[in-house]
Amino acid sequence: MHPLKKLFGYARHHRRDVWLATLYSVINKFFDILPEVLIGVAVDIVVSGEKSFLARKVLGGFGITDTWHQLLLLGGLNIVIWGGESLFEYLYSLKWRGLAQNLQHELRLDAYQHVQKLEMAYFENQRTGNLMSILNEDVNQMERFLNGGANQIIQVFCSSVMVSAVFFALQPKLALVSLLPVPLILFGTFWFQKRLAPRYSEVREAAGDVSARLNNNLLGLATIKAFATEDFEAEQIRKSSEGYRNANARAIRVSSAITPVIRMAILSGFTATLVYGGYLTLHDQLAVGAYSVLVYLTQRLLWPLTGLADVADMYQRSMAAIDRVMGIVTTPIAIPYEGKHFPSSGVKGDVRFEAVSFAYGERTTLHDIDLTLPAGKTVAFVGSTGSGKSTLIKLLLRFYEPKSGRVLLDGQPIDSLNLQDLRRAIGYVSQDTFLSDANVADNIAYGDPNISRAEVEAAAKAAEAHEFIAKLPQGYDTRIGERGQKLSGGQRQRLALARAILKNPPVLVLDEATSAVDNETEAAIQKSLETVSRGRTTLVIAHRLSTVRHADCIYVMEEGRVVEAGTHEQLLAADRGYAALWRLQTGERAQGTPTAEGLPA
């Protein structure tokens, strides 16, 4: 489907505004060409006097024979025409620009909201910078086209029709010769457009590549500095920018040829009117006033056609941009949000995985997992990287759908539940903590403006975060910077835990929440967990076994399968993988293992 058709389909609720804006553009163009007609009438009055067009009572004449009165009437008509042109220029500008602003606002919001609903698998093949380019620059490109380009296209079309009508009414033979370039100009413009379309698609893709790389580098600036790779990254940016410049250059080579070609076509039409029209006037086949009208109208019609080059350029840039934006908006949502509504307060927290398998592409990460996680218990998952621990959590949150099997919450398949309600029932603290550039209190009360300061402080105390918050310059009102960069890793984790505690979910998930913190912070988080995990189902994923030693049940995973299960003491007694990992992390030695001196430890 053509991008413009997609946009009109999307903007159907603005149909009335589109029609009004179009009507104002048409009326404005009608008034716009009338001054040239008045010039011809004025010449006719001066030359013909009492026999002028206005002196006749036929063909639109007013029957005014007095030359002075004719000129006064002409002056009055001139005021009306210029006033009408100015009024409708104001009205169409107001409508088109308002429509452009409304559409860009709505399209950006809808596209962003749609992106939020897409499954996590979608983002595995997308770059953040490219998505930002689409949501920002591409939407702005569409706005620029509606601001001016749409009106220009309508007015060029109206000029062609209206001027052609005047030409054929005054001198059909001259009309055929003078207006012959118009269809050639329009055909040439469309011919160039077809060749510009793929080039501007390349330009938008190249722009997205530059944006993606810049976004990635700005987020990783500390690493770039630490590895002293500023020159290397500057070279990568140069290559991306060079690609953008080259893509633009290929488009410019085509778009730059439009205006010269149109000018040559215009030259032939204007010359025909000037020479052939003059010949007809000299041989009394065309009135002097009519000749003046046609000369001015030819200029009024043909010279603005040179603007088609800019319009065509803007149009193709916009179509490429609109195609990318609408591509996001129309991307199917693989994991629907609809389902049975339920209040989180009524959730007990019983979680079951029944024969669950999952694969990232061709790589299977879970194999027929059968687990029952009783309500109110603390359950831990440990294992090497890539064993499938975090994937279980992602399936529970429905970031992904299982390849086979199903996940149940309180005996109900989670794919039958409303997705928002499901996620509201789960408190999630990840290793990569997301914090916004707001103050501490707003980050803890994330998404709920009705939370009181007392509730925020209570959650912070439960997460062992109140002490360090109180030492900040403005306490809970301290802004923490983008992604919380003014805080340490451990402080960010404790804020994330406080946020989850404030949510008061029946199910709490900690996904490597202590992997990047120091021993003191880990101890603080463990202390808070002993309090907040009471009465709720708590799922803990950790590499540090000290974090999970007090869990009611610990599952050891390897290559997508559960290979051990039990309490900390039971797993140590089994003396298998878990026990070996515990000894490795704590420095203990198995009985009979020789020390450095060759003696039993």
Side-chain angles (χ1 to χ4, degrees):
M1 185 185 294
H2 192 276
L4 197 58
K5 191 173 182 180
K6 292 180 184 177
L7 182 63
F8 283 156
Y10 172 81
R12 57 185 175 273
H13 56 291
H14 288 292
R15 193 168 296 168
R16 181 176 179 273
D17 289 331
V18 173
W19 282 115
L20 277 176
T22 302
L23 178 64
Y24 295 153
S25 293
V26 171
I27 296 175
N28 169 260
K29 179 49 63 177
F30 172 74
F31 281 113
D32 185 49
I33 66 172
L34 287 181
E36 276 66 30
V37 176
L38 290 186
I39 292 173
V41 174
V43 172
D44 186 50
I45 291 172
V46 173
V47 173
S48 303
E50 296 180 357
K51 296 181 180 180
S52 70
F53 173 77
L54 289 181
R56 304 171 197 162
K57 292 186 178 180
V58 294
L59 298 175
F62 289 84
I64 302 175
T65 57
D66 184 79
T67 306
W68 176 243
H69 288 167
Q70 291 180 30
L71 290 174
L72 288 178
L73 174 62
L74 200 63
L77 290 174
N78 187 55
I79 293 173
V80 172
I81 289 169
W82 281 87
E85 181 186 3
S86 299
L87 172 63
F88 284 98
E89 182 175 357
Y90 168 75
L91 291 175
Y92 82 62
S93 179
L94 202 64
K95 274 297 177 185
W96 281 120
R97 291 185 178 185
L99 182 64
Q101 291 300 315
N102 290 336
L103 268 182
Q104 66 91 12
H105 172 70
E106 293 170 7
L107 190 55
R108 180 178 286 114
L109 285 182
D110 286 348
Y112 173 71
Q113 289 172 352
H114 192 83
V115 164
Q116 288 190 124
K117 293 179 180 179
L118 294 174
E119 70 283 2
M120 296 303 292
Y122 172 82
F123 299 96
E124 293 172 2
N125 299 315
Q126 297 290 331
R127 293 172 298 175
T128 303
N130 187 51
L131 289 173
M132 288 176 60
S133 176
I134 294 173
L135 294 173
N136 189 28
E137 180 58 30
D138 286 353
V139 173
N140 290 342
Q141 188 70 48
M142 179 274 297
E143 177 205 356
R144 285 192 285 270
F145 169 70
L146 288 179
N147 263 337
N151 173 68
Q152 284 181 271
I153 291 173
I154 291 169
Q155 294 208 331
V156 165
F157 174 77
C158 290
S159 291
S160 302
V161 173
M162 293 176 186
V163 173
S164 298
V166 175
F167 259 80
F168 278 100
L170 295 177
Q171 180 47 258
K173 291 182 181 179
L174 181 59
L176 289 173
V177 176
S178 300
L179 300 179
L180 183 62
V182 173
L184 297 177
I185 291 171
L186 297 176
F187 173 79
T189 302
F190 288 120
W191 185 86
F192 276 109
Q193 278 184 6
K194 287 183 179 179
R195 279 144 188 82
L196 278 172
R199 287 171 171 80
Y200 278 129
S201 292
E202 291 178 10
V203 170
R204 299 315 313 153
E205 290 296 327
D209 182 65
V210 173
S211 180
R213 187 166 287 279
L214 285 170
N215 177 73
N216 185 68
N217 284 12
L218 290 174
L219 290 176
L221 204 55
T223 302
I224 292 172
K225 288 178 176 293
F227 280 82
T229 55
E230 290 93 339
D231 291 341
F232 171 80
E233 290 299 344
E235 175 62 17
Q236 301 309 306
I237 295 296
R238 187 197 67 77
K239 289 179 179 178
S240 293
S241 185
E242 182 76 15
Y244 177 58
R245 184 178 70 170
N246 291 339
N248 257 313
R250 287 190 290 272
I252 289 170
R253 279 194 290 271
V254 176
S255 64
S256 297
I258 303 177
T259 300
V261 171
I262 290 176
R263 281 182 178 274
M264 296 310 296
I266 288 169
L267 174 64
S268 63
F270 188 70
T271 302
T273 304
L274 201 65
V275 176
Y276 185 51
Y279 172 83
L280 293 176
T281 304
L282 289 173
H283 290 78
D284 297 324
Q285 297 180 40
L286 184 66
V288 175
Y291 174 60
S292 302
V293 170
L294 296 180
V295 169
Y296 282 113
L297 282 180
T298 303
Q299 186 181 34
R300 170 64 71 178
L301 168 64
L302 295 180
W303 284 113
L305 289 178
T306 58
L308 279 177
D310 294 331
V311 174
D313 187 73
M314 184 192 302
Y315 174 81
Q316 282 308 148
R317 286 179 182 269
S318 300
M319 292 308 102
I322 290 170
D323 199 38
R324 280 165 38 101
V325 178
M326 297 307 297
I328 285 184
V329 174
T330 57
T331 299
I333 297 174
I335 302 178
Y337 274 54
E338 296 76 16
K340 178 183 176 182
H341 285 280
F342 63 97
S344 60
S345 58
V347 175
K348 296 178 181 178
D350 180 77
V351 177
R352 291 209 313 272
F353 294 86
E354 294 184 350
V356 171
S357 295
F358 181 78
Y360 292 101
E362 299 297 322
R363 181 172 59 89
T364 301
T365 53
L366 292 177
H367 302 270
D368 294 321
I369 298 294
D370 281 295
L371 292 174
T372 297
L373 314 180
K377 300 294 183 180
T378 298
V379 179
F381 295 91
V382 299
S384 59
T385 301
S387 60
K389 308 183 301 297
S390 293
T391 302
L392 284 173
I393 302 305
K394 292 173 182 177
L395 293 178
L396 174 61
L397 286 160
R398 290 194 75 196
F399 290 164
Y400 299 89
E401 294 281 52
K403 183 179 179 181
S404 61
R406 59 180 187 165
V407 183
L408 299 95
L409 177 64
D410 289 351
Q412 299 185 74
I414 61 173
D415 59 3
S416 68
L417 303 176
N418 179 270
L419 189 56
Q420 293 285 61
D421 289 347
L422 171 68
R423 291 172 179 170
R424 289 189 183 101
I426 302 172
Y428 179 56
V429 182
S430 68
Q431 178 181 357
D432 184 19
T433 303
F434 170 75
L435 297 173
S436 60
D437 185 14
N439 63 36
V440 171
D442 288 341
N443 272 282
I444 294 176
Y446 179 61
D448 192 343
N450 299 317
I451 296 295
S452 68
R453 180 58 63 90
E455 292 173 296
V456 168
E457 292 185 10
K461 289 175 182 177
E464 300 292 330
H466 178 74
E467 186 177 346
F468 89 78
I469 294 173
K471 294 178 182 178
L472 294 175
Q474 285 84 41
Y476 284 85
D477 294 314
T478 304
R479 294 185 71 89
I480 60 176
E482 187 177 16
R483 300 182 67 85
Q485 61 185 355
K486 294 182 181 179
L487 303 179
S488 69
Q491 289 171 335
R492 290 196 294 268
Q493 287 288 10
R494 278 186 267 186
L495 284 192
L497 182 59
R499 183 166 62 192
I501 292 171
L502 185 59
K503 186 179 179 181
N504 193 27
V507 179
L508 178 63
V509 174
L510 302 178
D511 187 359
E512 300 287 6
T514 61
S515 63
V517 301
D518 54 34
N519 291 332
E520 180 182 354
T521 302
E522 182 188 11
I525 291 177
Q526 284 181 335
K527 181 180 177 182
S528 64
L529 279 178
E530 291 176 7
T531 302
V532 301
S533 62
R534 293 172 190 157
R536 78 179 84 237
T537 306
T538 306
L539 282 66
V540 183
I541 295 176
H543 279 104
R544 293 183 181 181
L545 301 187
S546 57
T547 305
V548 301
R549 62 180 299 179
H550 300 297
D552 295 302
C553 185
I554 302 171
Y555 293 97
V556 183
M557 298 189 67
E558 288 298 334
E559 298 182 352
R561 293 181 172 87
V562 176
V563 294
E564 293 183 72
T567 63
H568 174 72
E569 290 74 17
Q570 290 171 339
L571 293 174
L572 287 182
D575 198 23
R576 295 173 60 192
Y578 179 90
L581 186 59
W582 173 261
R583 290 192 293 269
L584 179 66
Q585 291 188 5
T586 59
E588 296 180 9
R589 296 179 181 275
Q591 186 174 1
T593 301
T595 63
E597 292 77 16
L599 299 175

